[in-house]
Amino acid sequence: MGNLVFIGAGDSRRDPVELFLDFENAQPQTDEEREIYDTIAKVLDQSPTVLQKLANYTGCEEFIRKAITNPSSETEDEAWNAVLPAVEQLKEFYDFSSELENCFPKLLTALCQDDPKTNLEKRQALAKQFADVFDFVLRFDDLKMLNPAIQNDFSYYRRTLNRMKLSKKHHGEITIKDELANRMSLFFAYPTPMMNVINETTSNFLSQNQSVPQDNLTTALYLMASVCEDMVTNKRFDNDATNMFCLRCMTGAIILYDHLDTHGAFSKKSNIPIKACITILKTFKSESGQEMSTDGLLNALRFTTVHLNDPETPSNIKMLLE
């Protein structure tokens, strides 16, 4: 039995839609779904390791500071030797974003080519993976925003690389050269690089794939956001981690919807119950009493959406996110 979720423009909540996404137990139901699921899982199974490495990334600040304030062959070599493995780790993050970029369209096709509600309901394992992508993206970007060492290390690497090109010093040790370094620099320049990859990948997918109408994709996104909000508000899951998972999925779906839809996620014409979504982010309390902050998700809505400050956005919605 599904949730009776009311879908409508803004927060008027017309049109009841019965849909429950069993994120805790969903498994592929057909061979076709299993094939797609296994392909996506090969990528998503790496995400916990990526997040752990990012969380443990300490950077090379001390070595770089010494090389800048007390330049010598010794301090510069020490800084370079510290930055090299750090940048190789940053390349792992960039490479994983490329894997996401390659696999995400497979989910978009499987869930949005035909009726999105039916697909979400019948292909719940793929719907869970769709949510997994948003969960990872929001986690990654939150960690990245809190770690200025990533930008500082890579900036120092590029400056040093340019100097070494002139002197040809350490040339044999340089594996991340200009073209790749430029692409990585563009990736890490975004405050929320993984969400930017998802936004751009989806936009490119829609422009190149006529078999998936944009309306189907935005329908899938507002259904995901609405159902996740409803499941948390109505306490359909007892597990705190599952509820936070739902909130990250909800937030990611809102952000992507806002980038794709002409009117965005915040206007009265949006099908997303945006007031309810923001409210649950602001009022969410852990069932176990464990501290679980949603500040990063609220900031994601504030700073990575494009339509929040539009004149058409109701003032009460803007005030909720002030």
Side-chain angles (χ1 to χ4, degrees), residues 137 141-142 144-145 187 189-197 300 303-304:
V137 164
D141 286 348
D142 196 41
K144 187 265 181 184
M145 288 181 73
F187 173 74
Y190 283 94
T192 52
M194 287 292 179
M195 193 70 229
N196 182 64
V197 166
F303 304 122
T304 63

Side-chain angles (χ1 to χ4, degrees), residues 226-284:
S226 301
V227 171
C228 286
E229 177 273 319
D230 185 86
M231 291 192 300
V232 176
T233 298
N234 290 301
K235 304 183 185 301
R236 290 301 299 267
F237 298 110
D238 296 326
N239 187 284
D240 288 335
T242 305
N243 284 315
M244 283 299 299
F245 178 88
C246 290
L247 293 178
R248 290 189 198 97
C249 173
M250 178 192 79
T251 303
I254 292 170
I255 293 169
L256 185 53
Y257 181 101
D258 192 64
H259 278 257
L260 296 177
D261 187 81
T262 303
H263 302 289
F266 302 97
S267 79
K268 292 180 179 180
K269 296 180 180 180
S270 167
N271 283 303
I272 291 175
I274 193 66
K275 182 179 178 181
C277 291
I278 297 170
T279 299
I280 191 60
L281 287 176
K282 297 185 75 170
T283 60
F284 175 71

Side-chain angles (χ1 to χ4, degrees), residues 79-95:
W80 179 250
N81 290 331
V83 163
L84 272 180
V87 170
E88 287 291 340
Q89 192 166 99
L90 296 183
K91 180 178 178 295
E92 289 183 35
F93 303 153
Y94 172 77
D95 288 343

Side-chain angles (χ1 to χ4, degrees), residues 14 20 98 147 165 192 213 235 291:
R14 301 186 298 269
F20 172 69
S98 298
N147 195 338
K165 281 194 322 187
T192 52
K235 304 183 185 301
E291 184 176 347

Side-chain angles (χ1 to χ4, degrees), residues 47-58:
S47 61
T49 301
V50 172
L51 291 173
Q52 188 62 51
K53 287 183 176 181
L54 179 57
N56 293 335
Y57 188 92
T58 56

Side-chain angles (χ1 to χ4, degrees), residues 1-18:
M1 175 65 68
N3 279 17
L4 199 61
V5 181
F6 288 85
I7 306 297
D11 278 276
S12 59
R13 295 200 173 204
R14 301 186 298 269
D15 306 332
V17 175
E18 190 175 8

